[in-house]
Amino acid sequence: MMTLKIGEKELNVKYGYEATLKTRLLSRMAAKEKSKEDGMESTENLLLFLPDFLLIGLQKFHADEYGFDYETGKGKDEQLAKMFSLIEDYFDSNEDEDAITLYNALTEEMLQNGFLKSQFREELKKSDSQKK
């Protein structure tokens, strides 16, 4: 678990089993890692992905405030709007941080969990074999 400080808030981020798998985060991460985007499009896509990535990581400890239905997606758009605002506040209060630093920190947290580490490697292998 990592703690993300945003203004006066401290948020515990952990990529729990149910939220991670039901939102298909692993396959989306594997695809993102394998994409060959360059320049501004890559930066834009990263910035658009960060709110979703953070939202999933907040489900384990902050579902009361940021929860949504994984099966239907009900409430997700509202929660993503909150994530965009949180991320903007994060960058405002952590001037030395950027999108890549935040993405890398969230990725590292995701990969520190045992089941996620092995699952993510499997998704990368699948993505590699499908591209060949």
Side-chain angles (χ1 to χ4, degrees), residues 46-58:
L46 175 65
L47 291 170
L48 287 169
F49 182 71
L50 274 174
D52 198 23
F53 195 17
L54 178 58
L55 178 61
I56 295 165
L58 293 177

Side-chain angles (χ1 to χ4, degrees), residues 65-92:
E65 187 174 359
Y66 302 113
F68 65 96
D69 188 313
Y70 311 137
E71 301 291 332
T72 66
K74 184 177 181 184
K76 187 174 182 184
D77 287 341
E78 177 185 329
Q79 300 304 353
L80 282 173
K82 292 178 185 178
M83 293 303 104
F84 277 95
S85 181
L86 275 176
I87 290 171
E88 185 174 5
D89 292 347
Y90 175 78
F91 291 141
D92 287 347

Side-chain angles (χ1 to χ4, degrees), residues 9 42 65:
K9 280 188 169 192
S42 175
E65 187 174 359

Side-chain angles (χ1 to χ4, degrees), residues 25-33 49 53 103 107 110 120:
L25 180 61
L26 296 175
S27 57
R28 292 188 294 145
M29 290 291 297
K32 182 154 217 35
E33 292 294 319
F49 182 71
F53 195 17
Y103 175 81
T107 300
M110 184 178 81
F120 188 67

